[in-house]
Amino acid sequence: MGRAPCCDKANVKKGPWSPEEDAALKDYIEKNGTGGNWIALPQKIGLKRCGKSCRLRWLNYLRPNIKHGGFTEEEDNIICGLYVSIGSRWSIIAAQLPGRTDNDIKNYWNTRLKKKMMGRRKQSNFNTKETNGIDDNSSNSLSSSALERLQLHMQLQSLQNPFSFYRNPSLWPKLHPSQEKMIQQSLIDASNSNTVVMQGQKYEFDKVKPTNIVSGFLQQDISTNMMNTPKVENPLNNNSVPFANFGNNIPMHSSSIVEQTNNMGFQQVCELQITEHDNILNNKITMSNYLPQEEQNMAGFDCFREMNGSNDSSNLIFWSNDSDSKSASTSSWDSSTPPVLMPEGMFHDYELGYSF
DNA sequence: AAAGTGAGCAACCGCTTCACG
DNA sequence: CCGTGAAGCGGTTGCTCACTT
């Protein structure tokens, strides 16, 4: 016995909207608003449509200032970056792209952007697949989304061979042996050099440095586990980061994804995401870099959580501070307080970052 | 020219979350 | 605190159209 339907399914029209229906809905809402009740709306207008259908049509198509198609490279970068970071939370991603709807972004990702990304992945992954003998089916326990993000992350990691947590298994969640093998192979691949060039800068692996723990994250002493601290040979662009907040400690990344991905190439953004993951997993930053506070407890690295085979976030050592789990739904497009990436709040969780 | 195929996208479905009495 | 209805959300479906065989 399921719940009652929201409308009389027999008497509502389904399928594509006609121009007349569009005009009626648009005209009514522009004059009277939604009245806070979508279910009652079609009756008032005289439309034989479900209220949910009206809402969807308005939000995704009729609403003013909606953009369709023609995604820019910058938008690609933002979507890519946020997808790797927070997964398929389309409403949150859409909130960072004015004029874009979650449905549009979802479709765009599923039909084009993912292929673009995976295309790079496949190309560069061809050789390592030949030699490492790891069966793709070994990761069946992961959801496709989580696996996809993990693969993207790892592949991009091995592409650029950066310093990262992959050399530091003690910080990992518990994995299935096959998953562990898969990741460790990536480490081997990445271990040939102690120098890496990222975003036009050369980084060099250096001695281990202790780092403070950021509030809300790992409650263990990671000083002995910390990854080698990258040495920045060329100064970062001071215009992009409020360095004054950190004294001599300079975080690897600058402000928000939105700001940072401007003028970046696709690959560069993905590199950035690797760095972001590394920083988070090394407890240097928190999700506040991406999400408003109320989102942070929700938007974890679900792929790792899934790998751990549990929804219990307490099982992950780097996943804590579960006190407030307000829903993501406050982030919807038509919310009165849409979430935005707030540059001024970006760094409040930093305590120490990378040092020269 | 017709049939087959696949990409793109609008819309739907059903579950979750929120708000309110 | 609980129950209920509405809104929000993400996954999925199915239609259309362009391209290929």
Side-chain angles (χ1 to χ4, degrees):
Chain A
M1 193 161 144
R3 72 178 295 166
C6 64
C7 56
D8 183 1
K9 300 285 182 190
N11 290 322
V12 296
K13 186 182 169 189
K14 290 166 74 172
W17 280 65
S18 68
E20 292 77 22
E21 289 175 310
D22 280 346
L25 180 62
K26 194 161 188 269
D27 189 53
Y28 183 90
I29 292 177
E30 282 174 351
K31 285 178 182 163
N32 307 293
T34 64
N37 188 344
W38 284 106
I39 301 297
L41 203 63
Q43 277 190 329
K44 292 178 186 171
I45 306 173
L47 287 174
K48 290 190 173 179
R49 289 278 181 177
C50 173
K52 289 176 77 169
S53 180
C54 292
R55 175 185 163 270
L56 214 59
R57 185 65 179 169
W58 171 256
L59 292 178
N60 289 339
Y61 199 82
L62 300 174
R63 201 164 41 120
N65 304 320
I66 288 287
K67 286 187 277 186
H68 288 289
F71 280 83
T72 65
E73 184 75 12
E74 184 188 338
E75 286 174 315
D76 285 0
N77 293 339
I78 293 168
I79 295 167
C80 161
L82 286 172
Y83 183 85
V84 171
S85 295
I86 64 175
S88 57
R89 301 183 64 188
W90 304 116
S91 62
I92 295 174
I93 295 173
Q96 312 309 320
L97 298 171
R100 300 294 185 187
T101 68
D102 53 356
N103 207 37
D104 220 18
I105 293 170
K106 178 174 59 180
N107 284 333
Y108 180 57
W109 171 263
N110 285 331
T111 59
R112 300 190 207 182
L113 202 51
K114 184 165 67 178
K115 288 170 194 164
K116 184 177 173 183
M117 209 167 170
M118 291 300 189
R120 291 171 187 266
R121 189 186 74 79
K122 272 186 182 172
Q123 199 172 17
S124 61
N125 205 31
F126 182 77
N127 288 337
T128 53
K129 256 192 175 176
E130 290 285 305
T131 55
N132 66 15
I134 293 172
D135 182 3
D136 279 352
N137 294 330
S138 66
S139 299
N140 279 348
S141 60
L142 293 175
S143 75
S144 57
S145 168
L147 180 58
E148 182 180 291
R149 286 161 59 204
L150 179 64
Q151 287 175 328
L152 287 167
H153 186 125
M154 290 181 60
Q155 179 54 36
L156 290 164
Q157 161 81 15
S158 64
L159 266 178
Q160 293 300 320
N161 188 24
F163 46 87
S164 93
F165 78 102
Y166 298 113
R167 297 180 192 226
N168 184 14
S170 66
L171 288 178
W172 295 7
K174 287 189 176 72
L175 304 178
H176 184 279
S178 61
Q179 293 163 348
E180 214 163 295
K181 187 180 174 188
M182 180 171 66
I183 292 173
Q184 285 177 357
Q185 180 61 45
S186 175
L187 283 180
I188 294 166
D189 295 342
S191 64
N192 298 324
S193 166
N194 69 337
T195 303
V196 63
V197 176
M198 284 178 65
Q199 295 169 235
Q201 293 165 8
K202 189 177 175 186
Y203 298 100
E204 186 180 300
F205 301 138
D206 200 20
K207 63 181 180 173
V208 172
K209 282 194 158 191
T211 295
N212 285 1
I213 297 169
V214 174
S215 61
F217 276 74
L218 178 60
Q219 300 300 309
Q220 75 173 58
D221 181 3
I222 59 171
S223 62
T224 56
N225 291 330
M226 276 304 300
M227 276 305 303
N228 295 332
T229 305
K231 183 179 287 180
V232 180
E233 291 193 343
N234 299 320
L236 294 168
N237 179 359
N238 277 326
N239 293 330
S240 61
V241 184
F243 289 146
N245 292 347
F246 305 98
N248 291 328
N249 302 310
I250 298 180
M252 273 295 295
H253 67 107
S254 57
S255 55
S256 72
I257 292 298
V258 177
E259 290 170 0
Q260 250 192 95
T261 53
N262 287 347
N263 306 317
M264 276 189 183
F266 189 80
Q267 185 66 49
Q268 287 177 299
V269 172
C270 295
E271 292 165 7
L272 169 67
Q273 289 311 303
I274 294 167
T275 306
E276 295 287 341
H277 275 225
D278 294 346
N279 285 344
I280 290 169
L281 289 165
N282 284 326
N283 304 287
K284 291 181 178 175
I285 64 174
T286 75
M287 294 304 287
S288 65
N289 291 66
Y290 301 113
L291 301 173
Q293 186 64 44
E294 65 267 25
E295 294 295 332
Q296 293 170 25
N297 297 318
M298 300 279 295
F301 294 93
D302 294 337
C303 54
F304 291 118
R305 213 181 331 200
E306 288 184 39
M307 288 166 71
N308 214 30
S310 168
N311 286 328
D312 180 4
S313 56
S314 65
N315 287 351
L316 289 181
I317 58 172
F318 54 78
W319 196 254
S320 59
N321 193 17
D322 219 3
S323 59
D324 180 10
S325 57
K326 192 175 175 184
S327 164
S329 63
T330 55
S331 309
S332 65
W333 240 112
D334 52 349
S335 163
S336 57
T337 55
V340 289
L341 296 175
M342 308 274 287
E344 66 268 26
M346 284 299 156
F347 298 95
H348 65 86
D349 284 327
Y350 277 97
E351 292 189 12
L352 284 178
Y354 290 97
S355 303
F356 285 120

